[in-house]
Amino acid sequence: MSSKFQTQAPTLVLLHGLLGDRHDWAEVSAGLDGVDCLALDLPGHGQNHRVRVASFEAFHHWLCDTLIDRGVSRYCLLGYSLGGRLALYHASRQPSGLEALWLESAHPGLPANERSARIAHDERWATRFEQEPLEDVLADWYQQPVFADLTEVQRTRQIQRRLGANHGPAVAKMLRATSLGHQPSLWQWLEDTSLPVGYFSGRRDAKFHHLASRLASLAPRLRHITLEGGHNLHSEQPDDISHNLNAWYQTLG
């Protein structure tokens, strides 16, 4: 890869999901060819576990300030699950310097009549994260239908990894602030935007694969990439994600 490409290509900013941290992207980053990456810990997570944001808009401003602090002026975003929803909201605010958006297993938003039920659902989980032993909450968290493709070995490994890296009350605050019930619907924005957008979905993740297929039918400019896997593709198929990102970056050369 030429030095010209390395200096001129936009930075790839990576946003993990709830309970994750910046290290979740290590295998994807390792497979990228000459791409400058910045994997961030979300507020309430990792090195930023003491950072609080009260809303999607507050996160948008936090990310803008963080990128300025890191000297990032041109960038692309890749976000998984919660990180994808936050990336999508940020992109919808049309920040200066954003050149592409990549989503992985991320929801564009609920219709208005479903939001209050989702807020109540997330509040129940937030209360548990605050009040119960983290190991007990995680054991139930990873039994949710969206994680149905995990084997018992994978589920146990995931729980052990998240157990040592998270603080229950911090997770609860982030979950409340960024509930899908508080997220505006961004389906129409995705249909209308001229920003390059890609969406990774796993064939074994029935809910989000169906959602992504529907989204692609409504937003013909959106690039839907289907991979063999479940919800957490950057963990299951990091090489495939890196391959697709490398191919896109090559078009900039």
Side-chain angles (χ1 to χ4, degrees):
M1 191 78 51
S2 70
S3 59
K4 178 182 178 182
F5 174 81
Q6 291 182 24
T7 55
Q8 291 191 355
T11 299
L12 179 63
V13 178
L14 302 156
L15 302 178
H16 61 78
L18 191 75
L19 299 166
D21 62 34
R22 68 190 187 282
H23 301 297
D24 291 358
W25 297 107
E27 290 183 88
V28 170
S29 298
L32 295 175
D33 188 5
V35 178
D36 182 26
C37 292
L38 175 60
L40 297 174
D41 286 327
L42 293 180
H45 295 74
Q47 291 183 333
N48 290 324
H49 70 277
R50 296 185 187 280
V51 176
R52 302 285 181 264
V53 293
S55 64
F56 282 85
E57 183 68 9
F59 173 82
H60 163 66
H61 290 292
W62 175 84
L63 181 56
C64 289
D65 291 344
T66 298
L67 295 177
I68 291 170
D69 290 345
R70 299 295 187 96
V72 174
S73 58
R74 295 177 58 220
Y75 62 106
C76 303
L77 274 175
L78 168 57
Y80 161 68
S81 196
L82 169 60
R85 296 194 291 111
L86 291 167
L88 174 56
Y89 181 85
H90 174 76
S92 76
R93 304 287 279 112
Q94 299 181 301
S96 173
L98 179 62
E99 299 188 15
L101 172 68
W102 295 83
L103 304 172
E104 177 192 343
S105 309
H107 204 300
L110 294 171
N113 64 351
E114 295 180 16
R115 292 176 194 167
S116 60
R118 181 54 186 248
I119 290 169
H121 171 272
D122 288 344
E123 176 58 33
R124 288 191 290 272
W125 278 112
T127 299
R128 293 193 63 188
F129 275 115
E130 278 181 332
Q131 298 179 358
E132 298 180 27
L134 190 56
E135 187 169 13
D136 294 348
V137 185
L138 291 176
D140 290 340
W141 180 264
Y142 286 108
Q143 291 293 337
Q144 294 182 94
V146 74
F147 302 114
D149 67 297
L150 294 177
T151 67
E152 283 306 312
V153 171
Q154 290 172 324
R155 187 172 285 109
T156 299
R157 187 183 304 129
Q158 190 79 310
I159 290 169
Q160 291 304 313
R161 183 178 179 197
R162 299 315 188 195
L163 193 57
N166 283 283
H167 181 57
V171 172
K173 287 183 174 62
M174 189 61 173
L175 181 55
R176 284 192 180 102
T178 59
S179 167
L180 180 57
H182 290 310
Q183 178 182 318
S185 176
L186 293 168
W187 290 81
Q188 190 64 52
W189 181 84
L190 284 165
E191 288 182 45
D192 296 339
T193 185
S194 59
L195 185 75
V197 179
Y199 193 115
F200 294 105
S201 73
R203 205 178 299 278
R204 295 200 311 272
D205 182 3
K207 175 181 177 179
F208 281 88
H209 181 59
H210 174 75
L211 183 152
S213 299
R214 180 180 160 216
L215 183 60
S217 71
L218 296 171
R221 289 191 299 271
L222 179 139
R223 183 181 172 206
H224 178 202
I225 303 111
T226 300
L227 301 181
E228 294 300 329
H231 193 65
N232 191 336
L233 294 167
H234 62 274
S235 176
E236 299 174 55
Q237 306 286 346
D239 292 344
D240 285 344
I241 289 185
S242 299
H243 172 77
N244 278 279
L245 293 170
N246 281 328
W248 186 82
Y249 267 87
Q250 286 287 352
T251 67
L252 304 180

